[in-house]
Amino acid sequence: MSAEHKNGVGAQDEEEDDYMNMSFDDPTPVKETSIQRTQRLKRESRARGIIKSKEQIAEEGAAAREKALSTSMLDDAKAKKSKGLAMMAKMGFTGGGLGKKTEDGAAPGRTEPIKVSVKDDRGGIGLDNEKKRKVREAAEERDMKAVKMDPDEYRERVRKEREDARLEKQFFAAQRTAERMDDEKTEVYGPGASLPDSKDEKEKSRLISSRPLKSIPIVYRGLVRHREEVERDRRMRYDLEQSLSRLPTYEDDQEDADDKRALGKGHTVYATAEDLDEEDKELDQFNELEIGERLKSVLEYLREKHQYCFWCKMAYPDAEMEGCPGLTEENHD
């Protein structure tokens, strides 16, 4: 093979292996089918139909604001077409702060944008400082007024409150006991009358007591007064509801006593104490006493009047009350 033939073959191989100058045709884009297009449109429609919450809108707005503030206007593609930027470039502006450069080559103008502060309310510019000042003054005033409480004093106060609550319960129980024992000794039925057999007959024959409150012993007069007031208010509400639920002028001639009772047309007269609305200074003075003194008065009344010990829960045959440890609860421990 001649040298010329060899040189021709080598040149042809070099031309075939020149990858740097090779050009590749763009691939033919895949045509979107009708099904794919329908699915794409549905996805876009669903995305547009989603209603964003206020939190999502606020987050997107904050993200867009931070992105805009962190990106320089000079790096924006639209800035290259800006006529104002082109004029500044002709005047020697290459970026950085505005103004005449100093000896160190830095311009006095600011390079960072003004920080954006979003204001949601309608308050003035100095309102936040005024609020902070008022809060600070209120805190200082509160610290001045606050008195440091001694831990021992606090414990003593809590202990006394709990002890008073316990004595209140014992006082009410002793009052009910004294009232019950006085009622048992009082004649409920008329003189010479035979005792009824059934419970209903007892309730019917029981006399309604409307004696004055001042004739009741002071040790449990407050209990009776409170019960009378509650019962009076209840009866007034009941009578008002009954009067509003029916026509008071309508009367049916064919109704008998049972029908009237079933329809609530029977009038029940409740006799309250005569002096329920009068002022009772003796009761007010008794209620002003300490709870321990009031409890002691009720216990002494039970022992003197009924020879009964509230702590032993029993009545003794005589006033000596032999076997009872004493008057107070500590004596029975």
Side-chain angles (χ1 to χ4, degrees):
M1 184 179 295
S2 62
E4 295 178 358
H5 180 70
K6 291 181 179 180
N7 292 335
V9 174
Q12 185 178 1
D13 293 338
E14 289 178 359
E15 291 179 358
E16 291 178 356
D17 296 338
D18 190 6
Y19 295 104
M20 300 300 294
N21 296 327
M22 293 178 63
S23 61
F24 298 92
D25 297 334
D26 295 335
T28 304
V30 180
K31 187 177 181 180
E32 187 179 26
T33 62
S34 60
I35 297 176
Q36 293 175 346
R37 181 175 179 275
T38 303
Q39 293 177 352
R40 178 176 59 80
L41 293 177
K42 286 183 179 180
R43 288 194 300 269
E44 294 176 356
S45 177
R46 284 196 297 268
R48 289 193 303 269
I50 295 175
I51 300 176
K52 298 180 181 179
S53 62
K54 293 183 179 179
E55 295 180 356
Q56 293 177 344
I57 295 174
E59 291 177 358
E60 291 179 358
R65 185 165 54 252
E66 291 295 333
K67 181 180 179 181
L69 293 175
S70 61
T71 304
S72 176
M73 295 179 61
L74 302 177
D75 298 336
D76 192 359
K78 297 180 180 179
K80 298 179 180 179
K81 301 179 182 180
S82 174
K83 294 182 179 180
L85 184 60
M87 293 174 61
M88 293 174 64
K90 290 180 180 179
M91 297 172 63
F93 177 73
T94 58
L98 298 177
K100 186 178 180 180
K101 294 183 179 181
T102 58
E103 296 178 356
D104 55 357
R110 63 186 306 161
T111 57
E112 295 292 333
I114 299 175
K115 186 177 180 180
V116 178
S117 178
V118 180
K119 192 170 183 60
D120 299 330
D121 54 7
R122 297 184 178 182
I125 297 175
L127 182 62
D128 293 338
N129 296 332
E130 184 68 17
K131 287 182 178 179
K132 292 179 181 178
R133 184 184 64 80
K134 290 183 178 180
V135 171
R136 184 173 61 255
E137 291 178 355
E140 293 176 356
E141 185 178 358
R142 185 174 61 252
D143 294 339
M144 292 174 61
K145 291 183 178 180
V147 179
K148 293 184 179 180
M149 182 177 293
D150 187 12
D152 296 335
E153 182 181 354
Y154 173 75
R155 296 191 191 97
E156 180 64 22
R157 180 170 62 84
V158 173
R159 186 198 64 78
K160 188 176 184 306
E161 290 176 356
R162 293 180 179 177
E163 181 66 17
D164 291 345
R166 188 179 68 86
L167 294 178
E168 284 282 353
K169 295 179 181 179
Q170 294 177 352
F171 173 66
F172 291 141
Q175 280 185 318
R176 290 191 294 268
T177 303
E179 182 187 13
R180 176 178 56 81
M181 299 189 75
D182 281 354
D183 290 343
E184 290 176 356
K185 293 183 66 174
T186 304
E187 291 184 359
V188 179
Y189 305 101
S194 59
L195 296 178
D197 298 332
S198 64
K199 183 178 179 181
D200 295 338
E201 292 179 355
K202 289 181 180 180
E203 294 296 334
K204 291 179 181 178
S205 60
R206 186 179 296 273
L207 300 177
I208 298 177
S209 175
S210 60
R211 58 177 177 169
L213 289 175
K214 293 182 180 179
S215 63
I216 299 175
I218 189 63
V219 291
Y220 62 88
R221 188 186 303 172
L223 180 66
V224 178
R225 185 184 186 90
H226 176 70
R227 185 169 60 244
E228 291 278 343
E229 291 175 349
V230 172
E231 181 64 20
R232 181 186 61 181
D233 296 341
R234 187 188 69 82
R235 293 300 307 179
M236 291 176 62
R237 288 195 301 270
Y238 175 77
D239 294 340
L240 178 61
E241 292 174 358
Q242 292 297 321
S243 63
L244 295 176
S245 62
R246 66 175 184 273
L247 294 175
T249 57
Y250 176 73
E251 293 291 342
D252 191 355
D253 298 336
Q254 298 181 357
E255 291 180 354
D256 55 7
D258 294 335
D259 294 336
K260 292 182 179 180
R261 188 182 304 108
L263 295 174
K265 295 183 179 181
H267 298 285
T268 302
V269 179
Y270 178 75
T272 58
E274 298 176 357
D275 54 348
L276 182 60
D277 296 328
E278 296 180 4
E279 184 179 0
D280 193 345
K281 295 183 179 180
E282 185 181 4
L283 180 60
D284 295 339
Q285 293 177 359
F286 180 76
N287 291 333
E288 290 177 358
L289 298 176
E290 293 289 338
I291 182 61
E293 295 294 331
R294 285 181 282 164
L295 177 61
K296 182 180 178 182
S297 300
V298 181
L299 298 181
E300 290 177 349
Y301 177 83
L302 289 172
R303 296 174 72 90
E304 295 174 0
K305 187 76 176 291
H306 303 284
Q307 293 82 42
Y308 180 82
C309 178
F310 180 75
W311 310 113
C312 297
K313 305 299 181 185
M314 64 176 296
Y316 290 87
D318 52 11
E320 298 296 333
M321 300 180 66
E322 184 178 357
C324 179
L327 177 64
T328 62
E329 184 181 11
E330 288 77 8
N331 297 333
H332 292 74
D333 291 341

